[in-house]
Coordinates of all heavy atoms in Angstrom, one line a residue:
L1 N 19.7 -26.6 66.1 CA 20.7 -26.7 67.2 C 21.8 -27.7 66.8 O 22.8 -27.9 67.6 CB 20.1 -27.1 68.5 CG 19.1 -26.0 69.1 CD1 18.4 -26.6 70.3 CD2 19.9 -24.8 69.5
G2 N 21.7 -28.4 65.7 CA 22.7 -29.4 65.3 C 22.7 -30.6 66.2 O 23.7 -31.3 66.3
V3 N 21.5 -30.9 66.7 CA 21.3 -32.1 67.6 C 21.2 -33.3 66.7 O 20.5 -33.4 65.7 CB 20.1 -31.9 68.5 CG1 19.8 -33.2 69.3 CG2 20.3 -30.7 69.4
V4 N 21.9 -34.4 67.1 CA 21.7 -35.7 66.5 C 20.5 -36.4 67.2 O 20.6 -36.6 68.4 CB 23.0 -36.6 66.6 CG1 22.7 -38.0 66.0 CG2 24.2 -35.9 66.0
A5 N 19.5 -36.7 66.5 CA 18.4 -37.4 67.0 C 18.6 -38.9 66.8 O 18.6 -39.5 65.7 CB 17.1 -37.1 66.3
N6 N 19.0 -39.6 68.0 CA 19.2 -41.0 67.9 C 17.9 -41.7 68.2 O 17.3 -41.5 69.3 CB 20.3 -41.4 69.0 CG 20.5 -42.9 69.1 OD1 19.9 -43.5 70.1 ND2 21.2 -43.5 68.2
F7 N 17.5 -42.6 67.3 CA 16.3 -43.4 67.5 C 16.7 -44.9 67.6 O 17.7 -45.4 67.0 CB 15.4 -43.3 66.2 CG 14.7 -42.0 66.1 CD1 15.3 -41.0 65.3 CD2 13.6 -41.7 66.8 CE1 14.6 -39.8 65.1 CE2 12.9 -40.5 66.6 CZ 13.4 -39.5 65.8
E8 N 15.9 -45.6 68.4 CA 15.9 -47.1 68.3 C 14.7 -47.5 67.5 O 13.6 -47.6 68.0 CB 15.8 -47.6 69.8 CG 17.2 -47.6 70.5 CD 17.8 -46.1 70.6 OE1 17.1 -45.2 71.1 OE2 18.9 -45.9 70.1
P9 N 14.9 -47.6 66.2 CA 13.7 -47.7 65.3 C 12.9 -48.9 65.5 O 11.7 -48.9 65.2 CB 14.4 -47.8 63.9 CG 15.8 -48.3 64.1 CD 16.2 -47.7 65.5
L10 N 13.4 -50.0 66.1 CA 12.6 -51.2 66.4 C 11.4 -50.8 67.3 O 10.4 -51.6 67.3 CB 13.5 -52.2 67.0 CG 12.9 -53.6 67.2 CD1 12.5 -54.2 65.9 CD2 13.9 -54.5 68.0
W11 N 11.5 -49.8 68.1 CA 10.5 -49.5 69.0 C 9.3 -48.8 68.4 O 8.2 -48.7 69.0 CB 11.0 -48.5 70.1 CG 12.1 -49.1 70.9 CD1 12.7 -50.3 70.8 CD2 12.9 -48.4 71.9 NE1 13.8 -50.4 71.7 CE2 13.9 -49.3 72.3 CE3 12.9 -47.1 72.4 CZ2 14.9 -48.9 73.3 CZ3 13.8 -46.7 73.3 CH2 14.8 -47.6 73.8
A12 N 9.4 -48.3 67.1 CA 8.4 -47.6 66.5 C 7.3 -48.5 65.8 O 7.1 -48.4 64.6 CB 9.0 -46.6 65.5
Q13 N 6.7 -49.3 66.6 CA 5.7 -50.3 66.1 C 4.6 -50.5 67.0 O 4.7 -50.2 68.2 CB 6.4 -51.6 65.8 CG 7.1 -52.2 67.1 CD 7.6 -53.6 66.9 OE1 6.9 -54.6 66.7 NE2 9.0 -53.7 66.8
D14 N 3.5 -50.9 66.5 CA 2.2 -51.1 67.3 C 2.2 -52.4 68.0 O 1.4 -53.3 67.7 CB 1.0 -50.9 66.4 CG -0.3 -50.9 67.2 OD1 -0.3 -50.5 68.4 OD2 -1.3 -51.3 66.6
N15 N 3.1 -52.6 68.9 CA 3.2 -53.9 69.5 C 2.5 -53.9 70.9 O 1.8 -52.9 71.2 CB 4.7 -54.4 69.7 CG 5.5 -53.3 70.4 OD1 5.0 -52.4 71.0 ND2 6.8 -53.5 70.5
E16 N 2.7 -55.0 71.7 CA 2.0 -55.1 72.9 C 2.3 -54.0 73.9 O 1.4 -53.4 74.6 CB 2.2 -56.5 73.5 CG 1.3 -56.8 74.7 CD 1.5 -58.2 75.2 OE1 2.4 -58.9 74.7 OE2 0.8 -58.6 76.2
I17 N 3.6 -53.7 74.0 CA 3.9 -52.6 75.0 C 3.4 -51.3 74.6 O 3.0 -50.4 75.4 CB 5.5 -52.6 75.2 CG1 5.8 -51.8 76.4 CG2 6.2 -52.0 74.0 CD1 7.3 -51.9 76.8
M18 N 3.3 -51.0 73.3 CA 2.7 -49.8 72.8 C 1.2 -49.8 73.1 O 0.7 -48.8 73.6 CB 3.0 -49.7 71.3 CG 2.4 -48.4 70.6 SD 3.3 -46.9 71.2 CE 4.9 -47.1 70.4
R19 N 0.5 -50.9 72.8 CA -0.9 -50.9 73.0 C -1.3 -50.9 74.5 O -2.3 -50.3 74.8 CB -1.5 -52.2 72.3 CG -1.4 -52.1 70.8 CD -2.2 -53.3 70.1 NE -1.6 -54.6 70.5 CZ -0.7 -55.2 69.7 NH1 -0.3 -54.7 68.6 NH2 -0.3 -56.4 70.1
D20 N -0.6 -51.6 75.3 CA -1.0 -51.8 76.7 C -0.5 -50.8 77.7 O -1.2 -50.5 78.7 CB -0.6 -53.2 77.1 CG -1.3 -54.3 76.4 OD1 -2.3 -54.0 75.6 OD2 -0.9 -55.5 76.5
L21 N 0.7 -50.3 77.5 CA 1.4 -49.5 78.5 C 1.7 -48.1 78.0 O 1.9 -47.2 78.8 CB 2.6 -50.1 79.0 CG 2.5 -51.4 79.8 CD1 3.9 -52.0 80.2 CD2 1.6 -51.3 81.0
T22 N 1.8 -47.9 76.7 CA 2.3 -46.5 76.2 C 1.1 -45.7 75.7 O 0.8 -44.6 76.3 CB 3.3 -46.7 75.1 OG1 4.4 -47.5 75.6 CG2 3.8 -45.4 74.6
V23 N 0.4 -46.1 74.7 CA -0.7 -45.3 74.2 C -1.8 -45.0 75.2 O -2.3 -43.9 75.3 CB -1.3 -46.0 72.9 CG1 -2.6 -45.3 72.5 CG2 -0.3 -46.0 71.8
P24 N -2.2 -46.0 76.1 CA -3.2 -45.6 77.1 C -2.7 -44.6 78.1 O -3.6 -43.8 78.6 CB -3.4 -47.0 77.8 CG -3.0 -48.0 76.8 CD -1.9 -47.4 76.1
R25 N -1.4 -44.5 78.3 CA -0.9 -43.4 79.2 C -0.9 -42.1 78.5 O -0.8 -41.0 79.2 CB 0.5 -43.8 79.7 CG 0.5 -44.9 80.8 CD 1.9 -44.9 81.4 NE 1.8 -45.6 82.7 CZ 2.0 -46.8 83.0 NH1 2.4 -47.6 82.0 NH2 1.9 -47.3 84.2
L26 N -0.8 -42.0 77.2 CA -0.7 -40.8 76.4 C -2.0 -40.2 75.9 O -2.2 -39.0 75.8 CB 0.3 -41.0 75.3 CG 1.8 -41.3 75.6 CD1 2.6 -41.6 74.4 CD2 2.4 -40.2 76.5
G27 N -2.8 -41.1 75.4 CA -4.0 -40.7 74.7 C -3.7 -40.5 73.3 O -2.6 -40.5 72.8
P28 N -4.8 -40.4 72.4 CA -4.6 -40.5 71.0 C -3.8 -39.3 70.4 O -3.0 -39.5 69.5 CB -6.0 -40.5 70.4 CG -6.9 -40.0 71.5 CD -6.2 -40.4 72.8
E29 N -4.0 -38.1 70.9 CA -3.3 -36.9 70.3 C -1.8 -37.1 70.5 O -1.0 -37.0 69.6 CB -3.8 -35.6 70.9 CG -3.0 -34.4 70.3 CD -3.5 -33.1 70.8 OE1 -4.4 -33.1 71.7 OE2 -3.0 -32.1 70.4
R30 N -1.3 -37.3 71.8 CA 0.1 -37.3 72.0 C 0.7 -38.6 71.4 O 1.9 -38.6 71.0 CB 0.4 -37.3 73.5 CG 0.2 -35.9 74.1 CD 0.6 -35.9 75.6 NE -0.2 -36.8 76.4 CZ -0.2 -36.8 77.8 NH1 0.7 -36.0 78.4 NH2 -0.9 -37.6 78.5
A31 N -0.1 -39.7 71.3 CA 0.4 -40.9 70.7 C 0.9 -40.7 69.3 O 1.8 -41.4 68.8 CB -0.6 -42.0 70.7
R32 N 0.4 -39.7 68.6 CA 0.8 -39.4 67.2 C 2.2 -38.7 67.2 O 2.7 -38.5 66.1 CB -0.3 -38.5 66.5 CG -1.6 -39.3 66.2 CD -2.4 -38.5 65.3 NE -3.0 -37.3 65.9 CZ -4.2 -37.3 66.5 NH1 -4.9 -38.4 66.7 NH2 -4.6 -36.1 67.0
W33 N 2.7 -38.3 68.3 CA 4.0 -37.6 68.3 C 5.2 -38.5 68.5 O 6.3 -38.1 68.6 CB 4.0 -36.6 69.4 CG 2.9 -35.5 69.4 CD1 2.1 -35.3 68.4 CD2 2.6 -34.6 70.5 NE1 1.2 -34.2 68.7 CE2 1.5 -33.8 70.0 CE3 3.1 -34.4 71.7 CZ2 0.9 -32.8 70.8 CZ3 2.5 -33.4 72.5 CH2 1.4 -32.6 72.0
Q34 N 4.9 -39.8 68.5 CA 6.0 -40.8 68.8 C 6.9 -41.1 67.7 O 6.5 -41.3 66.6 CB 5.3 -42.1 69.3 CG 4.5 -41.9 70.6 CD 4.0 -43.3 71.1 OE1 4.7 -44.0 71.8 NE2 2.8 -43.6 70.7
Y35 N 8.2 -41.1 68.0 CA 9.3 -41.6 67.1 C 9.1 -40.9 65.7 O 8.9 -41.5 64.7 CB 9.3 -43.1 66.9 CG 9.4 -43.8 68.2 CD1 8.4 -44.7 68.7 CD2 10.5 -43.7 69.0 CE1 8.5 -45.3 69.9 CE2 10.6 -44.4 70.2 CZ 9.6 -45.2 70.7 OH 9.7 -45.8 71.9
P36 N 9.3 -39.5 65.7 CA 9.1 -38.8 64.4 C 10.3 -38.9 63.5 O 10.9 -37.9 63.1 CB 8.9 -37.4 65.0 CG 9.7 -37.3 66.2 CD 9.6 -38.7 66.8
I37 N 10.6 -40.1 63.1 CA 11.8 -40.3 62.3 C 11.7 -39.6 60.9 O 12.5 -38.9 60.5 CB 12.1 -41.8 62.1 CG1 12.3 -42.5 63.5 CG2 13.4 -42.0 61.3 CD1 12.4 -44.0 63.4

């Protein structure tokens, strides 16, 4: 579709917000779909 995928690459890390608020809400399978740069 010619879409520009804009990423904020700093977010693609296993930090506290990822561990405490993001991955627990998604579960392991969906967590692997994050920030597919």
Side-chain angles (χ1 to χ4, degrees):
L1 295 173
V3 174
V4 178
N6 172 261
F7 288 97
E8 282 55 58
L10 187 62
W11 302 354
Q13 56 174 289
D14 185 30
N15 57 7
E16 189 175 1
I17 195 169
M18 182 66 70
R19 292 189 295 266
D20 294 350
L21 295 180
T22 303
V23 172
R25 282 192 160 99
L26 296 175
E29 180 180 2
R30 287 185 297 188
R32 291 193 290 269
W33 303 348
Q34 296 185 83
Y35 305 117
I37 303 174

